[in-house]
Amino acid sequence: MIIAAFLAQVINIYSWILIIYILMSWVPSVQDSSIGRLFARVCEPFLEPFRRIIPPIGGVIDLSPIIAFLILKLATRGIFYLAYLFG
């Protein structure tokens, strides 16, 4: 159960990083900073498969982060379910 809690916390931290990255996309000067590039290296590999499946609506509104958050939430639930089964 400790491992499940640790993994859930890692997913929670990653979710917050995604939120910050998404908010940074509204301010291009922040996105071009060194921290913005770091967040892009961490978040883009996870978001990119969702963007291939769900293209932006009207070329502007990107719904892929919503699906990404749903997947992260399902992963957290799956981790706790497996911990319950095997723990």
Side-chain angles (χ1 to χ4, degrees):
M1 199 58 139
I2 293 172
I3 295 171
F6 174 76
L7 290 174
Q9 187 64 27
V10 169
I11 291 172
N12 187 36
I13 291 169
Y14 189 74
S15 296
W16 280 104
I17 291 171
L18 276 174
I19 290 170
I20 293 168
Y21 179 67
I22 292 164
L23 293 175
M24 285 172 42
S25 70
W26 295 350
V27 183
S29 62
V30 175
Q31 199 172 17
D32 292 334
S33 68
S34 61
I35 193 115
R37 289 188 297 272
L38 173 66
F39 276 44
R41 275 187 253 135
V42 171
C43 297
E44 282 301 323
F46 182 66
L47 290 173
E48 199 250 319
F50 302 110
R51 287 187 177 139
R52 279 186 293 193
I53 296 169
I54 306 167
I57 296 173
V60 180
I61 300 172
D62 186 10
L63 298 178
S64 62
I66 295 170
I67 304 302
F69 284 118
L70 178 65
I71 296 298
L72 289 174
K73 185 67 174 173
L74 289 173
T76 302
R77 284 186 168 198
I79 288 169
F80 280 117
Y81 180 73
L82 290 174
Y84 174 75
L85 283 179
F86 297 111

